[in-house]
Amino acid sequence: MKKTKVLNSELSAVIASMGHTDTIAIGDAGLPIPDSSKRIDLAVKRNLPPFLDVLETVLCELEVEEVTISSEMIEDNPGLFKKINELFSSIKINLVTHSEFKEMTKNCKAVVRTGECMPYANIILHSGVAFSCEE
């Protein structure tokens, strides 16, 4: 059995396949997923699994250099906006309209659907590189 955090085989495979600047979206239960993107549906029931649990787990395995969120989150979900700013205090946070966000998901390697039922609980993670001189 795999020892690292991400146990879902589809999600683990997508993370392992990501290169520099590739993107993956994590969204709430209502985020539309384009047919052009791989759908990884983790939703079991309302609010299970929660958006933040999935995000924090993915961050254990994915090097992220910047993120994109909907500007509507600032007003309509200020608690989540604050948490996103805490999680990503040292990297660039791009703000786009929710319409632009949904359009951007068409180019994501995958869109992960959570059971989250808060408004605008969606994020696009832009993969960084984890080069190290150590072996």
Side-chain angles (χ1 to χ4, degrees):
M1 180 175 185
K2 190 173 182 221
K3 286 175 63 172
T4 56
K5 294 262 182 180
V6 178
L7 297 180
N8 180 280
S9 60
E10 285 182 284
L11 183 53
S12 183
V14 168
I15 293 169
S17 74
M18 291 186 66
H20 187 220
T21 73
D22 285 341
T23 57
I24 184 172
I26 301 172
D28 58 37
L31 181 68
I33 299 174
D35 291 336
S36 60
S37 295
K38 179 176 182 60
R39 172 190 295 261
I40 301 176
D41 196 340
L42 303 179
V44 176
K45 65 178 188 174
R46 290 179 68 83
N47 298 309
L48 187 63
F51 169 82
L52 280 173
D53 285 358
V54 174
L55 175 59
E56 290 172 345
T57 302
V58 168
L59 293 177
C60 290
E61 296 197 14
L62 179 66
E63 184 71 27
V64 176
E65 71 177 12
E66 66 183 84
V67 301
T68 301
I69 59 173
S70 298
S71 57
E72 290 88 342
M73 184 191 295
I74 297 169
E75 187 173 318
D76 295 329
N77 199 339
L80 181 58
F81 182 69
K82 181 181 179 201
K83 182 65 175 173
I84 295 292
N85 276 280
E86 290 169 1
L87 283 171
F88 299 104
S89 61
S90 62
I91 66 170
K92 182 179 179 183
I93 299 174
N94 303 302
L95 295 171
V96 298
T97 68
H98 192 57
S99 294
E100 291 171 313
F101 184 94
K102 290 186 286 187
E103 191 65 27
M104 290 176 72
T105 62
K106 293 179 180 176
N107 297 316
C108 289
K109 278 197 166 275
V111 178
V112 180
R113 180 176 178 251
T114 69
E116 190 62 63
C117 291
M118 292 193 286
Y120 304 106
N122 307 297
I123 193 165
I124 295 174
L125 306 173
H126 302 254
S127 181
V129 290
F131 290 147
S132 172
C133 295
E134 299 176 22
E135 291 186 30

